Amino acid sequence: MLRKKTNGVAKGPRAGSLLSSLAAKTMDRRGFLAASGVTVGGLAALSLTSGRVEAATPSTEGGKIVRKKSVCTHCSVGCTVEAEVQNGTWIGQEPGWDSPFNLGAHCAKGASVREHAHGERRLKYPMKMVGGQWQKISWDEAINEIGDKMLQIREESGPDSVYWLGSAKFNNEQSYLFRKFAAYWGTNNVDHQARICHSTTVAGVANTWGYGAMTNSYNDIHNSKAIFLIGGNPAEAHPVSLLHLLKAKEENNAPLIVCDPRFTRTAAHADEYVRFRPGSDVALVWGLLWHIFENSWEDKEFIRTRVYGMDDIRQEVKKWNPEEVERVTGVPGAQLERVARTLANNRPGTVIWCMGGTQHTNGNNNTRAYCVLQLALGNMGAAGGGTNIFRGHDNVQGATDLGVLADTLPGYYGLAAGSWAHWARVWEEDLDWVKGRFAVWDKDGKSRAMMNEKGIPVSRWIDGVLEAKENLEQPDNTRAMVLWGHAPNSQTRMLEMKEAMEKLDLLVVVDPFPTVSAVLHDRKEGAYLLPATTQFETSGSVTASNRSLQWREKVVEPLFDSKVDHEIMKLFADKFGFTDRMFRNIAIEGNEPVVEDITREFNRGMWTIGYTGQSPERLKKHMANQHHFDKTTLRAVGGPCDGDIYGLPWPSWGTPEMNHPGTHVLYDMSLPVSKGGLTFRARFGVERNGENLLADGVYSKNSEIKDGYPEFTMQMLMDLGWDGDLTAEERASIDAVAGPETNWKTDLSGGIQRVAIKHECAPFGNAKARAIVWNFPDPVPLHREPLYTNRRDLVEDYPTYEDKTFWRVPTLYESIQKKDFSKDFPIILTSGRLVEYEGGGDETRSNPWLAELQQDMFIEVNPRDANNMNIRDGKDVWVSGPEGARIKVKAMVTERVGEGVAFMPFHFGGHLEGKDLRDKYPKGSDPYVLGESTNTVQTYGYDSVTQMQETKCTLCSIMPA
């Protein structure tokens, strides 16, 4: 609530006492930094370690000070952190002044990351629950006890009854290894936070033009002539990114249009703020397109040559006249006409969105509608245009790319037989052995190979535990849950989650902090906490939101009795007996797999998205020469990286030896493919219903094929007469896969890609983007009312979906929406981020410098609603949800939210329905700030394609406590 308070904060030594003691001594600046951790880079951490396990204290005399480059572990901007290390201890930090991303800036979270690396609230050694109390155990005991129980469950119920939940906090190498580990265990019940933040983006965007990622970059926004931001609040969620938006606003006079149900800190910078009803994004965008089509402001030539299906969009948009749009969204037609005119007159413009657009039951419709808007305006494949999708966590992009997902192997290869064959070749593994690790499920007289079936997504893991076995599309219920780098309070339905945690045979938490998973349940036995290191205690690559990879140096050795994530994976592999197989091409030093070897292994396999050119050597060279890269184009000017784009944003085609520079702007045909140019991907065939799906007479610069073309195969090279460009080694490798049928995705030599690019063609073809996705529930994006809606007058016109079973679990839609909860729960409830905290908040609320800034969980309530409900500013209130849960929080009466709408941040945990759970944490590891989770009262609701949870539009009631 941005009010300085002390209530509810764990007591301990304060910064003032330390600073007072320092003041009594005479020392130079370096000595002060070594003792206090304060540097000119901003707010850094003062260790509060009185009477507790603590890291070694550096000597202030002697000892060389070494600077290490790492990357902030919070959001996806990718800010460089420069750490000062003396005698093995991290004594200070500065922002990366040479970094093209943060340009010498930090936000509050980034400025205090030193505290995460050795904060006093971390888990310090393995623990298990005995008689309801946490007790210290050894690593050997932990791995053996957990492993024995998992093997028992595997024997009794099959490998799918153990769920491996991974993390967006893994680096790329750990992400890849985790997905490989799940495959060797024999399950697709593996997932991570992307499911509940941008899975609807990945699905919607990839199915529109081929790749499901940010098309341009934070830096490229410098070129934008207009900025349309919907469902995002970067001023708080991605604070440093605002530097790039404001540069365009100030230097280009680019109008900033912010569409949000809440007047955010980002909206305060807007030239035009559009307040709309939560859950009506598609109606809003179609309302804009109504004006664009009505006035012929669309880019007709771009649509003719590069877009399929826009006529179907026109038919739907005709329904969304200004009157209907206002009825559904609440936005006056005159304002939308003004916004549409602004976008039409200021091209290229960029569209930005975050979780405000994705976390809906029709989230895939929202993201596709945003894409269609850009296609209609002709803003794709252009500097200053594109869809700039701001990802949440520091490596949620990379973890998604590397396949920590229930529906794909690394590189979005999917789970088809050919996909497994490809990765078995990369791993040099016996495919039949891999098949034998998975269950084959006999149901209704049919055998189903579970290795080809999507797993249960993280959004639904609790249903894998609680749902009746006969209703699940897998052999048995989930019996063991591994939460590896995951905050459970970031998920909805927390009372049911508590029940699921208590029903499990085994609950394992692997994390630097205990998380809410340590205290939510009332288990007495069968729960373990394993201390993982932070990313500052290891090295490896991490992928920013713009697809650029950066290499983190190890800042300090693992602290306390914590272990790096990839070592823990290796210890479990030891226990399960497949270490030799899993690491046959990865060296192990001690118990720790060599990170660079893991990078090289995924370089050999991820041809689909061009994760093949970013060798460790090239990435380290970029980090060492950040000052050579242009801050807008991201291209190196001279030096050892000359011509490269910073971080080699994927696709960086071919092998590292090809030296492809990376691709800054996806689908930009003004450049040759060899220099980072690209077309739309030919992913959906060449023809549909007699209509051409390939580009019509347009192509990337210098392409030798002067029209659209399909994806490349060996047969296509032969037909073109280009197969003679292959080396003997490349041809032999291609023949070993499938001969003429080998394609650009499965050729391990990279020869097909190399030859295609030699002739300046995109390996994945040259097609049209598709405005209609015929394989989705709504081929043309439709507005559908939320499951919990107080607009009963709209349900008949815009109903939700029928109930169905997919992703292995029954999923409810119409059976919920048909019930009217609006009388008892009249207020729309939405959620979002705060600048001080991140994710579930465990590490940031354990940081004294951030905890000081925001000490109370709260709900924002409009003054009219507050007066009608007798709610006073700053007083406690009960917030109740339609599924029976309630939470106790502070009221913040503010016009940030409109009438009938309330907002809560989602970073809090450690309280449950008015009860303080502090005494349930392991001693000394409770976060300084605890509070209720908004997700306790957030309700059921999942996207119709990806099972994304709906957290942006449910209902609630609010009353004084």
Side-chain angles (χ1 to χ4, degrees):
M1 292 168 62
L2 304 181
R3 299 179 177 123
K4 186 175 180 180
K5 300 181 180 180
T6 56
N7 294 342
V9 180
K11 303 300 181 184
R14 305 302 295 167
S17 62
L18 179 51
L19 293 173
S20 298
S21 67
L22 292 174
K25 303 176 184 178
T26 302
M27 61 178 67
D28 61 14
R29 174 181 177 275
R30 182 56 60 193
F32 176 81
L33 294 180
S36 71
V38 177
T39 77
V40 297
L43 197 61
L46 300 174
S47 297
L48 308 181
T49 53
S50 175
R52 295 173 175 84
V53 178
E54 53 188 88
T57 302
S59 168
T60 59
E61 297 182 6
K64 181 181 179 182
I65 294 175
V66 179
R67 296 179 74 89
K68 299 281 190 179
K69 278 189 179 180
S70 188
V71 177
C72 179
T73 55
H74 290 300
C75 81
S76 65
V77 173
C79 298
T80 295
V81 174
E82 295 202 6
E84 297 177 334
V85 181
Q86 185 180 48
N87 296 336
T89 301
W90 188 352
I91 63 169
Q93 76 173 80
E94 293 189 3
W97 297 94
D98 292 331
S99 166
F101 293 161
N102 56 313
L103 307 169
H106 266 336
C107 71
K109 294 188 286 286
S112 61
V113 291
R114 175 182 168 274
E115 183 67 21
H116 297 324
H118 59 88
E120 67 166 358
R121 317 309 269 194
R122 275 179 55 171
L123 280 174
K124 298 173 182 67
Y125 31 70
M127 307 189 83
K128 78 171 181 177
M129 183 159 279
V130 179
Q133 300 296 316
W134 292 110
Q135 293 187 6
K136 176 182 177 181
I137 59 174
S138 70
W139 273 101
D140 285 345
E141 289 176 296
I143 296 296
N144 281 318
E145 290 181 17
I146 294 167
D148 286 344
K149 187 62 178 179
M150 287 181 172
L151 291 171
Q152 177 191 340
I153 292 170
R154 180 188 178 92
E155 179 66 24
E156 294 171 354
S157 299
D160 285 316
S161 286
V162 178
Y163 197 113
W164 298 92
L165 176 53
S167 183
K169 294 303 181 191
F170 290 155
N171 61 31
N172 286 327
E173 290 69 26
Q174 293 163 343
S175 299
Y176 170 78
L177 202 61
F178 192 79
R179 187 59 181 92
K180 184 178 182 182
F181 177 91
Y184 276 57
W185 169 260
T187 188
N188 293 324
N189 281 337
V190 54
D191 214 11
H192 81 292
Q193 289 89 347
R195 179 70 50 201
I196 55 174
C197 62
H198 271 289
S199 63
T200 46
T201 291
V202 175
V205 176
N207 277 282
T208 298
W209 45 56
Y211 283 154
M214 178 187 273
T215 63
N216 295 43
S217 71
Y218 296 108
N219 299 70
D220 183 66
I221 296 170
H222 302 175
N223 296 310
S224 298
K225 299 299 189 290
I227 303 168
F228 181 84
L229 198 158
I230 184 167
N233 181 19
E236 298 200 67
H238 308 82
V240 173
S241 74
L242 214 63
L243 293 173
H244 302 292
L245 274 73
L246 294 180
K247 181 178 175 70
K249 189 174 187 294
E250 293 165 7
E251 295 186 1
N252 303 343
N253 200 27
L256 173 60
I257 301 157
V258 175
C259 304
D260 202 293
R262 176 172 173 255
F263 189 81
T264 62
R265 290 185 176 181
T266 305
H269 293 278
D271 297 279
E272 180 96 41
Y273 168 61
V274 180
R275 192 193 294 278
F276 70 104
R277 185 173 67 96
S280 61
D281 299 58
V282 173
L284 181 79
V285 175
W286 285 173
L288 287 171
L289 275 178
W290 188 91
H291 291 287
I292 290 169
F293 290 149
E294 191 77 6
N295 291 282
S296 296
W297 292 335
E298 72 272 26
D299 188 329
K300 297 179 180 60
E301 182 62 11
F302 185 92
I303 293 170
R304 184 187 71 80
T305 59
R306 300 194 71 187
V307 182
Y308 167 81
M310 191 63 80
D311 287 343
D312 294 60
I313 300 294
R314 290 178 189 273
Q315 290 302 117
E316 176 63 22
V317 167
K318 282 180 182 178
K319 305 172 187 176
W320 291 97
N321 59 57
E323 294 74 27
E324 184 64 6
V325 172
E326 184 168 3
R327 181 171 85 99
V328 173
T329 69
V331 182
Q335 184 177 29
L336 279 191
E337 192 274 344
R338 185 168 62 247
V339 171
R341 184 181 298 275
T342 300
L343 294 176
N345 289 339
N346 295 274
R347 299 187 229 195
T350 189
V351 170
I352 299 169
W353 73 84
C354 303
M355 293 191 298
T358 64
Q359 291 180 330
H360 296 272
T361 51
N362 68 334
N364 75 87
N365 285 352
N366 292 345
T367 61
R368 289 186 291 132
Y370 308 150
C371 294
V372 170
L373 174 63
Q374 286 295 73
L375 291 172
L377 290 168
N379 280 332
M380 293 309 303
T387 52
N388 281 307
I389 303 144
F390 288 10
R391 302 299 297 262
H393 292 286
D394 58 317
N395 200 39
V396 69
Q397 183 64 56
T400 305
D401 298 336
L402 275 298
V404 187
L405 297 166
D407 58 333
T408 188
L409 290 164
Y412 308 98
Y413 276 82
L415 299 172
S419 306
W420 284 104
H422 169 74
W423 280 104
R425 286 191 292 270
V426 176
W427 298 333
E428 298 178 14
E429 187 56 85
D430 178 358
L431 180 58
D432 288 335
W433 180 86
V434 178
K435 291 178 180 178
R437 299 295 295 168
F438 285 80
V440 176
W441 185 38
D442 294 319
K443 185 180 182 182
D444 300 328
K446 297 180 180 179
S447 292
R448 294 169 61 177
M450 300 308 292
M451 73 184 301
N452 305 124
E453 301 282 342
K454 295 177 183 177
I456 297 175
V458 59
S459 53
R460 305 300 305 277
W461 77 262
I462 57 178
D463 298 294
V465 180
L466 300 177
E467 185 63 61
K469 174 181 173 180
E470 59 269 20
N471 294 334
L472 296 174
E473 295 292 311
Q474 67 176 34
D476 204 346
N477 290 87
T478 300
R479 295 177 55 191
M481 188 71 196
V482 181
L483 295 115
W484 202 319
H486 181 81
N489 52 313
S490 63
Q491 291 186 234
T492 59
R493 301 166 59 202
M494 286 191 65
L495 294 188
E496 290 173 273
M497 186 183 301
K498 178 179 186 294
E499 182 184 354
M501 285 183 170
E502 291 166 356
K503 186 178 178 182
L504 289 165
D505 292 56
L506 177 67
L507 175 65
V508 180
V509 177
V510 189
D511 203 278
F513 295 85
T515 78
V516 172
S517 296
V519 301
L520 179 62
H521 54 83
D522 291 320
R523 296 181 69 96
K524 302 299 182 185
E525 313 285 342
Y528 293 81
L529 303 175
L530 303 183
T533 67
T534 67
Q535 285 296 318
F536 299 113
E537 295 150 80
T538 187
S539 62
S541 65
V542 59
T543 305
S545 198
N546 74 306
R547 297 167 285 105
S548 284
L549 280 70
Q550 298 182 96
W551 193 271
R552 286 182 173 131
E553 293 182 285
K554 180 189 287 188
V555 176
V556 292
E557 293 297 320
L559 298 174
F560 315 120
D561 197 15
S562 63
K563 294 185 182 294
V564 294
D565 295 287
H566 47 291
E567 179 181 353
I568 302 172
M569 294 176 209
K570 189 266 180 187
L571 294 176
F572 276 117
D574 289 345
K575 177 66 179 177
F576 300 141
F578 49 70
T579 299
D580 290 345
R581 287 179 174 274
M582 185 170 166
F583 296 96
R584 58 165 51 91
N585 294 311
I586 300 169
I588 296 173
E589 296 179 353
N591 267 324
E592 187 174 336
V594 174
V595 170
E596 288 83 352
D597 282 357
I598 305 173
T599 315
R600 294 184 187 105
E601 183 169 293
F602 69 65
N603 284 159
R604 292 196 296 271
M606 292 180 64
W607 304 97
T608 41
I609 56 173
Y611 254 84
T612 51
Q614 305 94 338
S615 66
E617 294 76 17
R618 294 186 79 191
L619 296 178
K620 291 175 184 179
K621 190 189 300 182
H622 280 215
M623 293 299 288
N625 294 280
Q626 288 178 316
H627 56 296
H628 291 172
F629 292 87
D630 184 273
K631 301 303 187 288
T632 296
T633 67
L634 295 180
R635 201 177 290 273
V637 182
C641 307
D642 188 29
D644 281 0
I645 300 162
Y646 180 68
L648 302 170
W650 63 262
S652 176
W653 297 112
T655 62
E657 293 73 27
M658 264 184 64
N659 279 315
H660 188 272
T663 308
H664 185 189
V665 177
L666 293 178
Y667 321 121
D668 179 4
M669 299 196 302
S670 70
L671 294 173
V673 175
S674 64
K675 303 298 182 185
L678 210 55
T679 52
F680 287 135
R681 182 177 173 183
R683 186 179 178 184
F684 314 112
V686 298
E687 185 181 86
R688 180 167 177 80
N689 297 330
E691 190 171 342
N692 177 35
L693 296 179
L694 301 179
D696 191 350
V698 293
Y699 43 89
S700 53
K701 186 176 181 180
N702 297 339
S703 171
E704 294 185 24
I705 301 178
K706 309 296 185 183
D707 203 351
Y709 49 88
E711 62 179 358
F712 274 79
T713 64
M714 178 59 175
Q715 184 64 58
M716 185 169 165
L717 290 187
M718 294 164 62
D719 293 343
L720 291 167
W722 295 353
D723 57 311
D725 293 332
L726 294 167
T727 67
E729 292 79 7
E730 289 169 342
R731 186 179 289 272
S733 177
I734 292 167
D735 287 343
V737 175
E741 296 180 5
T742 306
N743 65 39
W744 63 283
K745 303 185 293 289
T746 57
D747 166 22
L748 299 188
S749 74
I752 293 176
Q753 291 195 7
R754 184 186 64 79
V755 172
I757 293 172
K758 178 181 178 181
H759 296 272
E760 294 298 356
C761 294
F764 64 23
N766 177 18
K768 293 177 178 177
R770 59 174 185 170
I772 58 171
V773 179
W774 52 80
N775 51 315
F776 274 19
D778 296 327
V780 171
L782 300 179
H783 168 68
R784 292 182 182 272
E785 277 296 295
L787 301 191
Y788 291 92
T789 178
N790 57 7
R791 289 295 302 276
R792 306 308 299 177
D793 57 310
L794 296 176
V795 170
E796 183 177 352
D797 293 335
Y798 305 106
T800 188
Y801 306 94
E802 296 179 356
D803 297 354
K804 61 178 178 177
T805 294
F806 68 133
W807 295 84
R808 302 192 185 187
V809 290
T811 307
L812 306 179
Y813 292 99
E814 63 179 355
S815 60
I816 292 177
Q817 193 186 65
K818 69 182 181 182
K819 302 173 185 176
D820 184 0
F821 297 92
S822 61
K823 182 178 179 180
D824 295 327
F825 303 93
I827 303 295
I828 299 173
L829 175 62
T830 189
S831 64
R833 291 192 177 203
L834 301 176
V835 70
E836 298 86 1
Y837 296 142
E838 198 254 349
D842 295 289
E843 63 178 3
T844 43
R845 287 183 287 105
S846 297
N847 185 320
W849 311 108
L850 299 173
E852 178 71 15
L853 300 175
Q854 183 59 66
Q855 298 180 18
D856 290 305
M857 172 59 173
F858 61 92
I859 185 168
E860 293 180 356
V861 185
N862 182 270
R864 180 178 294 275
D865 294 327
N867 292 336
N868 289 339
M869 295 182 289
N870 195 28
I871 291 169
R872 299 293 297 272
D873 185 58
K875 299 298 183 181
D876 287 342
V877 295
W878 285 105
V879 182
S880 300
E883 292 177 359
R886 68 174 191 161
I887 59 176
K888 188 178 181 182
V889 299
K890 298 286 186 185
M892 183 178 185
V893 179
T894 174
E895 291 184 342
R896 291 180 188 172
V897 290
E899 294 178 27
V901 177
F903 165 88
M904 285 194 285
F906 59 77
H907 309 298
F908 289 82
H911 288 180
L912 185 68
E913 294 197 299
K915 181 180 179 182
D916 188 333
L917 306 179
R918 189 178 294 279
D919 62 352
K920 297 177 71 174
Y921 284 90
K923 186 177 180 181
S925 67
D926 51 316
Y928 292 104
V929 170
L930 303 181
E932 298 270 16
S933 171
T934 182
N935 282 318
T936 301
V937 294
Q938 293 280 354
T939 51
Y940 191 103
Y942 300 97
D943 177 71
S944 62
V945 171
T946 72
Q947 292 275 9
M948 163 72 77
Q949 63 184 12
E950 182 158 58
T951 66
K952 301 307 182 189
C953 48
T954 187
L955 298 177
C956 71
S957 66
I958 311 169
M959 62 184 298

